[in-house]
Amino acid sequence: MRIALHVWRQVNAGARGGFERYDVPGITEHMSFLEMLDVVNERLVEQGKEPIAFEHDCREGICGSCGMVINGEPHGPVRRVTACQLHMRSFADGDEIWLEPWRARAFPVLKDLVVDRSALDRIIQAGGYISVRAGSAPDANAILIPKRNADMAFDAATCIGCGACVAACPNGSAMLFSAAKIAHLAAIPQGEPERFRRAYQMVAQMDAEGFGSCTNHGACEVACPKEISIDFIATLNRDLVRAELGWGAER
Amino acid sequence: MELRARIPAGPIQQKWDTHRFEMKLVSPANKRKYDIIVVGSGLAGASASATLGELGYNVTCFCFQDSPRRAHSIAAQGGINAAKNYQNDGDSVYRLFYDTVKGGDFRSREANVYRLAEISTAIIDQCVAQGVPFAREYGGQLANRSFGGAQVSRTFYARGQTGQQLLLGAYQALAREVAEGTVKMYPWTELLDIVVVDGRARGIVVRDLVSGKISSHAAHAVVLATGGYANVFFLSTNAKGCNVTATWRAYKRGAAFANPCFTQIHPTCIPQAGGYQSKLTLMSESLRNDGRIWVPEKPGDNRPAAQIPESERDYYLERIYPSFGNLTPRDVASRRAREMVDSGRGIGQERNGVYLDFRDAIQRLGREAVAERYGNLFDMYRQITGENPYVVPMRIYPAPHYTMGGLWVDYNLMSTVPGLHVIGEANFSDHGANRLGASALMQGLADGYFILPYTIGDYLAQAKFDPVDESHAAFREVELQVEALTKRLLDVNGSSSVDTFHRELGRVMWDRCGMSRNESGLKEALAKIPEIRERFWRDVRVTGTGESLNQELERAGRVADFLEFAELICVDALDRNESCGGHFREEHQTDDGEAKRDDDRFAHVSVWEYTGRGNAPALHKEPLEFEYVQLAQRSYK
Ligand SMILES: Cc1cc2nc3c(=O)[nH]c(=O)nc-3n(C[C@H](O)[C@H](O)[C@H](O)COP(=O)(O)OP(=O)(O)OC[C@H]3O[C@@H](n4cnc5c(N)ncnc54)[C@H](O)[C@@H]3O)c2cc1C
Ligand code: SF4
Ligand code: FES
């Protein structure tokens, strides 16, 4: 296959970026998308040029490192997969492919396709946990959890923190990401004591980081590689209302 | 160098308890006066940082990814072992201990393994309390599955994403401590050297991967939780960033390296396809619960799997090992797969795999039940190969996966450099010559939540510390060395990319020091590696500058270390003139092709000490004694 790439190149956070075009011959359809980028980068290095910076680690769709907008879609054209799980067989010979970093106010671009997503960590730090000291837990089977609840918690907990939902959202909102954690911990009894405080503080942090608000576009759910359901946002909103009435008012 | 394992006296069941009582404590008010550096935020590092923070120590934690949640532990699939005996199938702490010592082919320390088995149950309690959504039965109780090397069901799991869920639990505990101010987190920061002052580890030198700035951090103790080195093979199931840099540079500062040649080749990975491949993907061992492994009976049989009748299939593991069947330990299953492929019975277009077939499981349990157990693995397989494993059997082949070797530590998890502790996959500790499935997660969390937080207190309470901070001359000296190395890499300005050399090294390691090894192959590798290394330093091309985000430079530093470290692996493999677990020396096998140990000469840990550039490393031996599990030829028949 031969394709052409238009890649966002930006030297650093302060610099102005722009697209650069690369002609890429000699690609096979079995390659993963990132392996294709590896090939491009090796060729650039051989020419003494700086390779394209992009984040990646596991290359199995679980660490959440990779993230780029491919032809206008976060993680590219195939639904339910991350950029690292894409294969060139999803593209055709002669395609022109546009690559950009996540674009959102809360995710400043650091270089080429690499953005700073530390705001997501700070949302979790604001309350996305259950407080339990090591060694103080009761027997694991002491509290029974119906399979339904455990499954629901799991479905929400599979979020990989990639930020595609933010990139997809016209408002740059992190609602789906936050809702996933809030719904995970709200589905199980262990999460109950801190439930409303958690929702209140995480949403407050989200606002402080400059993420936009949610206007129910639903673009996040479409972009999410882990099929995190937009229904979790309803859970978040319910908990938030109760938090404002109860826990928030107490403060 | 003196190796003091510091294993407590007394019966094995009481060693840890006694030891906990005898260790010195740091009083609550004094804890915040101690600074502890933790490098790594995987299961081991995140759990240790969170727990040390909870205890009140002043902790700084580092990782090279942009967030601690992305540590390689996130990718673990199948599960975590614990001797809960919730299935009432005869499990016990003693049985988990026994299985692990035997599974490791009698090359681990009994006392450590017993402690691990003992702590395993508290780990599950802790994780459930944190909200880890383990699989459950309809009655609300926790579910279990079986893993290789065991005849009981003791593995806890969260679909095929157990590592993710456990790591997020630890990451969230860490996040809470960051919010509390007890832990300061430095993501996107790579350790490039350890600073030793007056014989004690007192800090580290790091590079900020975004700005490129090199700086120092001082502390009273340093903990390495930097994971394993399977990427020395280039192609492995590990994440791309996994490296040996932290442990290797610690080695050069005096921390001895134990059993580097104990590497694990995992039997069930997607076979390689093409020369551009960047990594191999694991298909969890849990699949062997329900999948059956087979090859065609006749070499060169080209028919599609569905057209090969039952009578012409060889379910070779079930045939050779009737009592463990498809659940033999990894080293055994891997070698047998290779034997099948080498005898011409490999399957797939490149004839480089064996089948892992779910036909019978789907018939027995229904497609839905199979999807419930392994859905995400099946999806992943389909995504990568374009084939549907519900319909055609998976193709699998062994691949480098885990490293049992690592920095030598005593019972307190301290290396030969006082104050330098090593936890998780980075140490050599508990798995001997072969790790059983679902035991790495257990070990990482045991080290981080339940062992190190106690033992480090014992060190801190007893050591006399001179006031040392980043302005100490030792820090400046190491910083200068690190800066010089960075500059050297950038200055070569040759013509080949970093990956070219890594690939070449990987090939040599896989061919000569992979699934099986022999004297002449190892000697060949030992001649070849320095030659690649020399070429690397003459011809590598690292573009960009040191004062910016530069991924080529990061990789170059890691590959430079692999190029040195690979030699130590081969030296160790050559020295260990026996077969045991994952270390299979072709010269030493039983009549039916199993690993043949030589307990008279090799019932020891091989501990290598750095003796300076260009010098041969010095070998020390920690003898292993087996009081509780009788030394015997492993049998899974
Ligand atoms: C695909 C796969 C599946 C697996 N499945 C299972 C399973 O089902 N059950 C099981 O028990 N085990 C499994 N394992 C093994 C297990 O996942 C690992 O052994 C374990 O997670 C290692 O944890 P760790 O905390 O020691 O290191 P890691 O999770 O590798 O973390 C290393 C940390 O160190 C940091 N680091 C490394 N070098 C540096 C440096 N120089 N400077 C700064 N930071 C650094 C990294 O940023 C990272 O935070 C699996 C492994 C793989 C590859
Ligand atoms: S919700 Fe989905 S898109 Fe958003 S961070 Fe999580 S996995 Fe990524
Ligand atoms: S590289 Fe880990 S999710 Fe893509």
Side-chain angles (χ1 to χ4, degrees):
Chain A
M1 286 170 75
R2 181 187 204 111
I3 53 159
L5 286 181
H6 301 261
V7 186
W8 183 263
R9 303 301 308 259
Q10 180 172 334
V11 177
N12 57 42
R16 270 183 61 166
F19 283 102
E20 231 169 276
R21 187 175 186 283
Y22 302 94
D23 181 34
V24 189
I27 296 298
T28 79
E29 56 174 6
H30 298 300
M31 283 182 181
S32 75
F33 195 78
L34 299 191
E35 281 162 2
M36 180 274 292
L37 284 181
D38 290 343
V39 169
V40 173
N41 275 347
E42 285 214 26
R43 291 178 190 166
L44 286 173
V45 169
E46 273 157 25
Q47 295 163 23
K49 294 188 185 143
E50 267 218 61
I52 302 158
F54 65 94
E55 274 195 90
H56 64 96
D57 202 17
C58 74
R59 298 202 172 193
E60 308 189 338
I62 195 74
C63 73
S65 294
C66 65
M68 55 187 84
V69 178
I70 304 170
N71 287 339
E73 293 179 279
H75 291 305
V78 181
R79 283 195 65 175
R80 299 194 301 275
V81 301
T82 53
C84 62
Q85 292 176 295
L86 270 182
H87 280 75
M88 292 314 290
R89 64 178 104 89
S90 303
F91 298 86
D93 190 32
D95 272 0
E96 302 263 326
I97 302 173
W98 296 76
L99 285 184
E100 290 172 79
W102 285 170
R103 304 235 183 243
R105 190 148 68 102
F107 292 164
V109 176
L110 296 176
K111 183 172 186 173
D112 300 343
L113 305 176
V114 180
V115 302
D116 178 355
R117 290 173 286 192
S118 55
L120 297 182
D121 285 325
R122 288 189 293 273
I123 292 177
I124 299 295
Q125 286 157 18
Y129 48 75
I130 289 171
S131 302
V132 51
R133 237 175 300 112
S136 63
D139 182 81
N141 260 345
I143 304 173
L144 299 182
I145 303 181
K147 184 169 183 315
R148 221 182 113 250
N149 295 48
D151 286 349
M152 199 181 4
F154 179 86
D155 287 340
T158 56
C159 163
I160 56 173
C162 63
C165 47
V166 179
C169 176
N171 307 329
S173 170
M175 274 300 249
L176 194 63
F177 168 81
S178 307
K181 189 45 61 194
I182 286 169
H184 159 206
L185 299 176
I188 47 176
Q190 288 86 350
E192 206 53 35
E194 294 165 295
R195 179 167 179 175
F196 302 111
R197 173 178 180 265
R198 175 182 310 123
Y200 187 89
Q201 296 192 160
M202 285 176 72
V203 171
Q205 187 65 35
M206 211 174 85
D207 293 342
E209 296 288 349
F211 290 101
S213 52
C214 173
T215 48
N216 296 315
H217 271 271
C220 53
E221 190 187 57
V222 178
C224 175
K226 295 291 143 180
E227 297 181 86
I228 301 295
S229 161
I230 203 165
D231 295 347
F232 293 134
I233 296 185
T235 311
L236 180 157
N237 282 327
R238 262 198 316 275
D239 282 9
L240 191 61
V241 171
R242 287 177 64 188
E244 274 158 1
L245 291 174
W247 187 84
E250 270 168 37
R251 297 186 42 170
Chain B
M1 172 178 290
E2 194 199 357
L3 295 174
R4 283 187 55 217
R6 310 220 292 179
I7 298 167
I12 200 158
Q13 292 84 350
Q14 281 152 34
K15 282 182 198 287
W16 178 231
D17 249 1
T18 317
H19 191 60
R20 270 195 302 180
F21 178 70
E22 284 170 354
M23 278 187 290
K24 299 270 177 299
L25 295 173
V26 178
S27 79
N30 281 338
K31 287 206 176 85
R32 73 190 142 74
K33 296 183 192 150
Y34 287 105
D35 302 322
I36 302 177
I37 285 172
V38 179
V39 188
S41 65
L43 283 177
S47 60
S49 301
T51 309
L52 292 167
E54 279 163 22
L55 288 171
Y57 291 109
N58 194 13
V59 181
T60 40
C61 179
F62 298 80
C63 72
F64 67 74
Q65 292 91 344
D66 69 325
S67 162
R69 68 181 290 154
R70 309 208 199 281
H72 167 59
S73 296
I74 201 90
Q77 301 174 348
I80 175 166
N81 287 331
K84 281 286 198 186
N85 194 28
Y86 283 161
Q87 303 301 324
N88 195 28
D89 56 0
D91 200 10
S92 62
V93 166
Y94 204 90
R95 186 178 294 280
L96 174 53
F97 157 68
Y98 174 90
D99 286 349
T100 308
V101 171
K102 177 182 167 198
D105 215 358
F106 302 92
R107 291 294 174 263
S108 52
R109 264 188 214 143
E110 280 190 336
N112 282 54
V113 177
Y114 193 88
R115 172 174 67 184
L116 177 64
E118 213 177 342
I119 289 172
S120 68
T121 58
I123 296 173
I124 302 302
D125 299 342
Q126 175 66 18
C127 295
V128 166
Q130 288 172 340
V132 171
F134 283 120
R136 288 182 183 264
E137 297 163 359
Y138 282 100
Q141 305 221 329
L142 291 158
N144 291 111
R145 55 170 55 144
S146 309
F147 255 60
Q151 287 172 312
V152 294
S153 270
R154 62 160 76 98
T155 306
F156 294 78
Y157 64 99
R159 245 168 267 175
Q161 289 157 244
T162 317
Q164 180 196 28
Q165 294 310 318
L166 294 174
L167 182 61
L168 291 181
Y171 159 78
Q172 286 162 206
L174 174 64
R176 173 169 166 256
E177 294 309 309
V178 171
E180 293 283 327
T182 57
V183 179
K184 178 146 177 44
M185 185 70 221
Y186 289 88
W188 253 329
T189 308
E190 181 163 40
L191 174 145
L192 292 180
D193 217 334
I194 314 270
V195 181
V196 180
V197 181
D198 298 332
R200 293 181 188 278
R202 292 305 300 269
I204 60 175
V205 169
V206 299
R207 179 167 179 272
D208 177 325
L209 298 183
V210 178
S211 70
K213 195 171 167 319
I214 287 168
S215 66
S216 293
H217 294 262
H220 296 93
V222 176
V223 182
L224 297 185
T226 48
Y229 51 81
N231 275 349
V232 71
F233 293 100
F234 184 68
L235 284 180
S236 84
T237 63
N238 285 15
K240 291 293 285 176
C242 293
N243 65 86
V244 76
T245 291
T247 46
W248 184 246
R249 296 193 186 178
Y251 165 77
K252 289 172 139 184
R253 295 280 172 200
F257 216 109
N259 299 334
C261 82
F262 286 175
T263 54
Q264 177 166 80
I265 312 296
H266 195 295
T268 54
C269 306
I270 301 178
Q272 200 183 334
Y276 45 78
Q277 189 142 355
S278 61
K279 74 159 287 185
L280 295 168
T281 303
L282 175 75
M283 286 286 109
S284 166
E285 172 158 311
S286 60
L287 293 167
R288 289 200 270 147
N289 266 287
D290 290 307
R292 298 179 67 195
I293 294 178
W294 64 276
V295 290
E297 198 128 86
K298 278 198 300 285
D301 190 337
N302 289 328
R303 289 173 292 174
Q307 286 172 24
I308 301 180
E310 208 49 31
S311 60
E312 292 173 44
R313 299 177 173 197
D314 181 10
Y315 294 91
Y316 57 89
L317 287 177
E318 298 172 24
R319 171 172 59 80
I320 310 175
Y321 307 100
S323 60
F324 280 71
N326 292 296
L327 288 174
T328 52
R330 292 177 174 175
D331 52 336
V332 176
S334 289
R335 277 196 295 277
R336 293 296 179 187
R338 184 173 122 151
E339 214 175 280
M340 296 302 137
V341 169
D342 287 353
S343 69
R345 298 199 279 161
I347 51 85
Q349 224 169 39
E350 303 187 34
R351 318 210 70 78
N352 62 351
V354 300
Y355 285 128
L356 177 62
D357 197 342
F358 290 87
R359 185 194 62 185
D360 296 352
I362 292 172
Q363 265 166 21
R364 192 176 72 241
L365 307 163
R367 188 182 153 127
E368 210 162 297
V370 171
E372 163 92 22
R373 284 181 200 175
Y374 312 113
N376 72 316
L377 298 171
F378 277 42
D379 290 348
M380 198 195 287
Y381 181 85
R382 191 176 187 164
Q383 191 57 40
I384 292 172
T385 61
E387 297 165 6
N388 180 356
Y390 292 101
V391 183
V392 293
M394 286 184 175
R395 294 175 292 110
I396 53 158
Y397 196 65
H401 176 60
Y402 180 87
T403 51
M404 285 75 69
L407 291 181
W408 184 88
V409 288
D410 63 13
Y411 189 73
N412 286 342
L413 305 180
M414 190 161 84
S415 71
T416 51
V417 175
L420 182 69
H421 295 71
V422 192
I423 59 178
E425 193 175 336
N427 72 23
F428 88 105
S429 72
D430 306 345
H431 308 293
N434 173 56
R435 174 175 70 80
L436 290 182
S439 286
L441 303 182
M442 169 172 76
Q443 182 227 328
L445 292 180
D447 289 359
Y449 283 131
F450 298 110
I451 302 174
L452 179 88
Y454 291 106
T455 57
I456 206 167
D458 186 53
Y459 169 76
L460 293 170
Q462 294 192 46
K464 298 265 174 297
F465 292 103
D466 293 329
V468 166
D469 65 13
E470 290 84 355
S471 63
H472 191 283
F475 282 91
R476 189 60 206 140
E477 198 184 313
V478 176
E479 275 178 30
L480 287 175
Q481 290 168 9
V482 167
E483 280 162 14
L485 182 72
T486 305
K487 188 167 177 312
R488 230 181 111 206
L489 285 167
L490 287 162
D491 284 351
V492 178
N493 205 13
S495 63
S496 306
S497 72
V498 175
D499 270 7
T500 322
F501 296 98
H502 196 179
R503 249 177 240 276
E504 194 181 345
L505 173 71
R507 192 76 241 174
V508 172
M509 292 303 285
W510 177 244
D511 288 344
R512 303 280 168 252
C513 196
M515 228 184 305
S516 68
R517 298 142 182 200
N518 61 47
E519 185 181 335
S520 72
L522 288 166
K523 286 188 169 153
E524 238 174 85
L526 282 169
K528 188 84 188 149
I529 296 163
E531 190 256 306
I532 305 175
R533 188 169 63 225
E534 187 271 327
R535 232 175 330 111
F536 172 89
W537 282 106
R538 193 155 39 77
D539 190 38
V540 72
R541 178 151 207 171
V542 183
T543 51
T545 70
E547 293 81 40
S548 63
L549 198 164
N550 187 340
Q551 296 170 325
E552 282 295 301
L553 178 62
E554 293 164 27
R555 264 201 293 277
R558 292 172 195 158
V559 172
D561 289 337
F562 277 134
L563 283 166
E564 295 180 1
F565 173 62
E567 227 177 312
L568 187 67
I569 300 189
C570 295
V571 166
D572 186 41
L574 190 60
D575 176 78
R576 192 169 279 276
N577 199 4
E578 66 160 352
S579 293
C580 56
H583 170 65
F584 193 75
R585 283 283 300 263
E586 287 158 8
E587 301 94 326
H588 304 283
Q589 40 185 313
T590 62
D591 292 340
D592 40 10
E594 307 291 353
K596 194 164 151 204
R597 295 195 319 267
D598 180 348
D599 293 327
D600 292 339
R601 293 171 59 215
F602 291 101
H604 62 245
V605 183
S606 298
V607 188
W608 299 93
E609 181 189 5
Y610 184 66
T611 55
R613 225 181 125 184
N615 297 341
L619 174 63
H620 305 269
K621 295 176 185 172
E622 180 198 336
L624 292 168
E625 275 143 41
F626 295 89
E627 281 181 67
Y628 294 86
V629 187
Q630 280 240 312
L631 275 166
Q633 167 72 35
R634 278 190 315 172
S635 168
Y636 292 95
K637 300 211 155 136

